[in-house]
Amino acid sequence: FPSHDIVLSGLKNVSYIGPVYGDSKNQFFATINLLLFPTKYPNEAEPVTILEAFSEGVPVIAAGRGCIASLFPTGTTGVVDHQAYVAHAVSEIKLMINSNEYWIRSSENSRSQFERLHDFNLDNLGKILMLMARA
């Protein structure tokens, strides 16, 4: 199986970055307009990378594997069936390139979704702690 660098080396304006951590991760999210998450892993749970992108207002297009769809608001275009991933991603990228307003709305929706998930999980944590205190 060829490395990502070899597969992507012929593509203009594309680079494979691989894992990034700490300050480099913050810099990474500050430099991108869109995160593509085309996972093939059938049992994806809750990829932190998607949540980190949302927190930075970076729109995400993810393959709908495992629990990924639960991270996206119902009816959004960010999560798609893994078999239709490429066609959908290309369509979304074209929309974002051709409409700055569409990208801005997608970015705002990503950040809002992060805030909703944060609030939901914080509320659930409070409920769990209350139940533990009663035990």
Side-chain angles (χ1 to χ4, degrees):
F1 184 76
S3 77
H4 291 83
D5 291 331
I6 293 169
V7 172
L8 298 175
S9 65
L11 299 176
K12 192 175 186 177
N13 299 320
V14 174
S15 60
Y16 176 75
I17 296 178
V20 289
Y21 304 97
D23 289 337
S24 296
K25 188 187 309 184
N26 297 336
Q27 292 170 6
F28 167 74
F29 282 114
T31 64
I32 65 172
N33 295 319
L34 174 68
L35 177 72
L36 300 175
F37 199 86
T39 184
K40 292 183 179 181
Y41 181 58
N43 300 316
E44 286 286 359
E46 188 174 81
V48 173
T49 302
I50 291 175
L51 298 173
E52 291 169 330
F54 283 170
S55 76
E56 297 294 329
V58 175
V60 177
I61 300 173
R65 296 287 198 148
C67 299
I68 288 178
S70 68
L71 298 175
F72 290 78
T74 303
T76 61
T77 60
V79 63
V80 296
D81 178 73
H82 67 279
Q83 294 177 349
Y85 184 83
V86 172
H88 181 78
V90 168
S91 175
E92 283 295 301
I93 291 167
K94 285 180 181 178
L95 283 170
M96 289 181 185
I97 288 171
N98 292 320
S99 173
N100 194 46
E101 292 79 19
Y102 185 81
W103 179 84
I104 290 170
R105 191 170 53 252
S106 297
S107 177
E108 290 169 349
N109 289 343
S110 294
R111 179 68 187 153
S112 295
Q113 180 62 4
F114 174 78
E115 291 170 3
R116 280 190 295 274
L117 290 168
H118 176 272
D119 293 347
F120 175 78
N121 288 316
L122 194 59
D123 184 54
N124 282 338
L125 176 61
K127 290 174 183 176
I128 291 168
L129 293 173
M130 291 294 288
L131 289 170
M132 289 173 63
R134 291 184 195 154

